[in-house]
Amino acid sequence: QKEVEQNSGPLSVPEGAIASLNCTYSDRVSQSFFWYRQYSGKSPELIMSIYSNGDKEDGRFTAQLNKASQYVSLLIRDSQPSDSATYLCAVTTSEKLVFGKGTKLTVNP
Amino acid sequence: GAGVSQSPRYKVAKRGQDVALRCDPISGHVSLFWYQQALGQGPEFLTYFQNEAQLDKSGLPSDRFFAERPEGSVSTLKIQRTQQEDSAVYLCASSLHEGTAYEQYFGPGTRLTVT
């Protein structure tokens, strides 16, 4: 089992909709969780960090963490075409930051 | 303020050549990380520095890969006798705090192509 798993997508949503991105991880003692956005040909850009169970909101983004289920998600409200990118979930495990393969999101105008 | 910078942005090397990739972290950032990203994959950890100390090099794929950060600021990733499988984007990230539990900020990467 891979340490961090994401659906590769592509996930396609209409403009203005809520995009929901999901991630599961295998290491029960993981403590730090991050979402990065990566545009094609660019480097990863940190958009959210979450450390405790529950929801964390920042503008149109909400990160949700459930350590019991080993699940972390990212919701993007009022999706815009500029949100079209690959979203990488990253989890600190065994003193390393481990990334999933990413979910490609397309927001259609 | 200035972010993480990397140079060169693109590098083409013939198989067997040595290459050196440079990373300038955000000023004052204690931790520095190198990652390798293949097409369609997430970044894979290579090595970690806390100031000038290389605390983890378990991700380096072979002894042809070597990294240093002699003064606790700029870091260089060196690849000797490059092979085609070394073709990838090499990303550097830095973090204000010690360890891997905190936010890491990435540079633009160096795209290495080995022909």
Side-chain angles (χ1 to χ4, degrees), chain B residues 76-87:
Chain B
T76 304
L77 176 66
K78 298 179 179 178
I79 309 173
Q80 297 177 324
R81 305 181 303 282
T82 52
Q83 304 294 315
Q84 283 195 316
E85 62 264 27
D86 300 335
S87 296

Side-chain angles (χ1 to χ4, degrees), chain A residues 37-107:
Chain A
R37 177 175 63 197
Q38 188 170 28
Y39 292 113
S40 181
K42 302 295 186 182
S43 63
E45 174 192 7
L46 179 68
I47 53 173
M48 289 288 284
S49 60
I50 187 165
Y51 299 96
S52 54
N53 279 328
D55 294 1
K56 179 181 178 182
E57 186 175 319
D58 184 0
R60 295 186 296 113
F61 299 100
T62 299
Q64 299 175 316
L65 175 60
N66 183 327
K67 290 186 180 180
S69 300
Q70 295 173 239
Y71 176 90
V72 58
S73 66
L74 179 70
L75 300 177
I76 307 174
R77 288 182 300 282
D78 188 25
S79 296
Q80 301 296 310
S82 57
D83 295 326
S84 298
T86 295
Y87 288 80
L88 297 164
C89 172
V91 176
T92 299
T93 182
S94 301
E95 297 299 316
K96 294 179 179 58
L97 191 59
V98 178
F99 286 81
K101 284 188 175 183
T103 298
K104 184 172 183 178
L105 171 66
T106 300
V107 180

Side-chain angles (χ1 to χ4, degrees), chain B residues 26-105:
Chain B
I26 295 171
S27 178
H29 277 202
V30 168
S31 297
L32 185 146
F33 307 84
W34 284 98
Y35 294 86
Q36 181 189 61
Q37 187 173 25
L39 195 63
Q41 304 293 317
E44 297 269 351
F45 170 83
L46 294 177
T47 187
Y48 160 51
F49 289 87
Q50 182 178 305
N51 296 304
E52 69 278 4
Q54 188 175 21
L55 298 188
D56 189 344
K57 55 181 181 180
S58 62
L60 296 176
S62 78
D63 59 8
R64 297 185 295 103
F65 286 71
F66 171 77
E68 60 183 5
R69 192 186 185 198
E71 297 178 357
S73 179
V74 170
S75 177
T76 304
L77 176 66
K78 298 179 179 178
I79 309 173
Q80 297 177 324
R81 305 181 303 282
T82 52
Q83 304 294 315
Q84 283 195 316
E85 62 264 27
D86 300 335
S87 296
V89 176
Y90 290 86
L91 295 163
C92 175
S94 70
S95 178
L96 180 61
H97 303 288
E98 298 173 357
T100 57
Y102 304 97
E103 290 87 352
Q104 297 181 23
Y105 299 92

